[in-house]
Amino acid sequence: MSGEARRATGGGERGEAARERSALLRFCRAWSPSGSTTARMDLRDRRPRPHRCAVNSVAFASRLPHTSEAQVAGQQYLRSSTGVNANYRAARRGRSRKEFIAKPRNVVGEIDEAVEWLEVMGESRIEHDPQLLSEARQLLANVTAPLQTARPNV
């Protein structure tokens, strides 16, 4: 393909790399703190969303009833929801482009599992936290969109 044809179709390989880089930057921004412009902001507001979500998940799990069903579901939820934060941190420290794309995919899997456990606990009347469920669904949407833009096979 000639240079003119490549420019007309979006830049060829360079265009794909730029789109991929842009998608990955959107992934990182989607998880950044809320961006409040107030001068006096609580330090907890400066933490990334996955960290705040993990802290909220620990608090949620601690108030679950002490039945075997609630504890099993709570442990599964706690593992997946705190795994979101761990994989997010690993993605931010990715050593290569492939690793930088692979870790957010792990984050999607962990968030999806956390949403599922929240839904199961709500439907089985163990415990229901609509705010936590809403936050998890927002995080899932925020991380899924940039990954759909990124090139699937790097």
Side-chain angles (χ1 to χ4, degrees), residues 4-120:
E4 282 182 34
R6 200 175 338 192
R7 281 189 293 276
T9 60
E13 190 65 34
R14 278 192 181 155
E16 283 182 36
R19 282 190 299 276
E20 179 182 320
R21 202 169 29 257
S22 174
L24 294 174
L25 287 172
R26 283 195 311 272
F27 164 76
C28 290
R29 281 190 211 118
W31 294 80
S32 65
S34 59
S36 173
T37 56
T38 59
R40 296 179 55 124
M41 184 168 45
D42 188 1
L43 278 178
R44 289 171 294 182
D45 291 341
R46 295 176 188 256
R47 293 286 193 167
R49 286 178 75 183
H51 179 86
R52 292 192 315 260
C53 190
V55 170
N56 293 338
S57 298
V58 170
F60 173 78
S62 70
R63 34 175 223 265
L64 288 174
H66 292 287
T67 63
S68 60
E69 298 84 11
Q71 292 301 306
V72 168
Q75 285 297 318
Q76 291 291 338
Y77 167 69
L78 193 57
R79 284 188 188 106
S80 61
S81 63
T82 55
V84 171
N85 185 44
N87 280 307
Y88 166 75
R89 286 177 59 103
R92 293 293 302 255
R93 290 176 173 81
R95 293 169 287 197
S96 68
R97 183 181 292 169
K98 286 183 181 182
E99 185 177 343
F100 194 70
I101 289 176
K103 291 295 181 179
R105 289 184 181 148
N106 292 343
V107 171
V108 169
E110 295 286 355
I111 296 172
D112 190 42
E113 184 179 348
V115 167
E116 174 64 20
W117 282 111
L118 282 171
E119 289 172 348
V120 165

